Amino acid sequence: MLRCLAIDDEPLALAQITGYIKMVPFLELVDSCRDAFSALNVLSKANIDLIFVDINMPDLNGLDFVKSLTTRPIVIFTTAYSEYAIDGFRVDALDYLLKPFSYKDFLKSANKALQQYEMQTISKEGPGRIPANAGEEEFLFVKADYKIIKIKISEIKYIESQSEYVKIYQLNEKPIMTLLSLKSIEERLPSGTFMRVHRSYIVNLSLVKEVSRAGIVFETKAIVPVGEQYKEKFNEYINQHSLLKH
């Protein structure tokens, strides 16, 4: 749940934003303000994760307000003036809603904020790898579909990078898509069991069924390619565990 603050000097615009916030299940409206100074007072007393703020406000405009913040929540600007867009992104705003905007536009920005919040949480805490206790396997917590999902490390077959997401393939389970980089999840996996074999793939070596010219084969007949820059390391692993004559 993201705790939100809405700031707009126009009553109708403020009512629209607060109404939209209340319609989104993962947003919580903490307060709404008609000016930046009232918002500063709220921020000094409450924990806020996300701010929706109009740019063109009297006394202290939205841009200067955001610049003045020592600790910055996620920021989404709302304004009727498109010329402010570049200035908005210069202060690291996540998004920019041009008035009048629909609930669909608002929800799209809200989803971006949720993804950003989840990324920040993971970068601070890690994906949730917990050392195994006696008789208990190690596992990861990942966020997907607005849920926190527990995955047994030993049941991960391979992981595929897809742009800003990774797709985690498991034994007897549907693949899971989560907003993470391949590098960040690689750092959390045991290096003796998992190996990066391609720019876009990490494999669980213990679950490899065979190695063909096409790549690494798993029980499901899925084939993972081995990239040129990773072949030497992977072949070294194969040779170390091989009974074949060279």
Side-chain angles (χ1 to χ4, degrees):
M1 186 75 73
L2 277 73
R3 293 167 55 83
C4 302
L5 173 61
I7 312 163
D8 200 306
D9 64 311
E10 298 177 7
L12 290 178
L14 188 61
Q16 181 192 44
I17 296 169
T18 56
Y20 282 169
I21 289 172
K22 292 174 182 178
M23 291 169 63
V24 180
F26 55 83
L27 298 183
E28 175 189 352
L29 179 65
V30 176
D31 210 338
S32 61
C33 301
R34 295 277 303 277
D35 61 78
F37 295 107
S38 299
L40 288 171
N41 186 49
V42 173
L43 287 169
S44 69
K45 298 176 181 178
N47 293 322
I48 301 295
D49 303 309
L50 172 61
I51 297 175
F52 293 93
V53 56
D54 184 27
I55 291 180
N56 192 27
M57 295 190 296
D59 298 323
L60 183 63
N61 68 42
L63 286 169
D64 291 334
F65 163 73
V66 171
K67 289 176 184 177
S68 73
L69 300 179
T70 306
T71 302
R72 237 177 249 180
I74 299 169
V75 175
I76 295 176
F77 282 117
T78 63
T79 184
Y81 304 95
S82 59
E83 62 266 26
Y84 285 122
I86 295 175
D87 292 329
F89 289 119
R90 281 175 179 165
V91 294
D92 296 326
L94 175 71
D95 209 355
Y96 183 98
L97 286 167
L98 185 62
K99 299 177 182 178
F101 51 86
S102 65
Y103 176 68
K104 181 180 178 181
D105 294 329
F106 180 88
L107 184 60
K108 185 176 180 180
S109 287
N111 278 314
K112 283 185 183 179
L114 179 63
Q115 291 175 353
Q116 177 74 12
Y117 178 76
E118 290 176 343
M119 282 292 291
Q120 290 174 352
T121 302
I122 289 170
S123 65
K124 289 177 184 177
E125 301 176 1
R129 182 179 172 194
I130 301 178
N133 296 320
E136 185 180 21
E137 295 183 275
E138 292 191 5
F139 55 88
L140 298 172
F141 281 124
V142 298
K143 294 184 178 181
D145 300 324
Y146 312 120
K147 297 179 289 187
I148 298 176
I149 301 172
K150 181 180 178 181
I151 301 175
K152 290 182 179 179
I153 291 177
S154 63
E155 293 186 358
I156 297 174
K157 293 189 295 184
Y158 61 96
I159 304 166
E160 178 186 5
S161 173
Q162 295 187 1
S163 187
E164 296 177 347
Y165 292 80
V166 294
K167 193 170 187 178
I168 303 172
Y169 295 82
Q170 308 172 80
L171 291 171
N172 306 315
E173 297 286 349
K174 291 182 179 180
I176 292 174
M177 288 280 285
T178 184
L179 186 62
L180 277 173
S181 69
L182 201 62
K183 182 180 179 182
S184 66
I185 198 166
E186 180 182 15
E187 292 171 349
R188 296 280 170 169
L189 295 169
S191 58
T193 307
F194 288 84
M195 181 180 290
R196 182 82 165 261
V197 296
H198 188 277
R199 182 169 54 88
S200 301
Y201 290 94
I202 296 171
V203 300
N204 184 342
L205 297 166
S206 66
L207 296 180
V208 172
K209 181 184 178 184
E210 63 183 64
V211 181
S212 69
R213 291 184 178 181
I216 300 167
V217 184
F218 290 87
E219 288 286 349
T220 53
K221 304 299 182 184
I223 298 176
V224 173
V226 179
E228 285 296 328
Q229 71 183 93
Y230 302 93
K231 279 185 177 179
E232 183 178 349
K233 184 178 179 182
F234 180 68
N235 288 336
E236 183 181 330
Y237 168 81
I238 295 296
N239 291 335
Q240 287 175 351
H241 297 80
S242 177
L243 296 177
L244 302 174
K245 293 182 179 180
H246 302 291

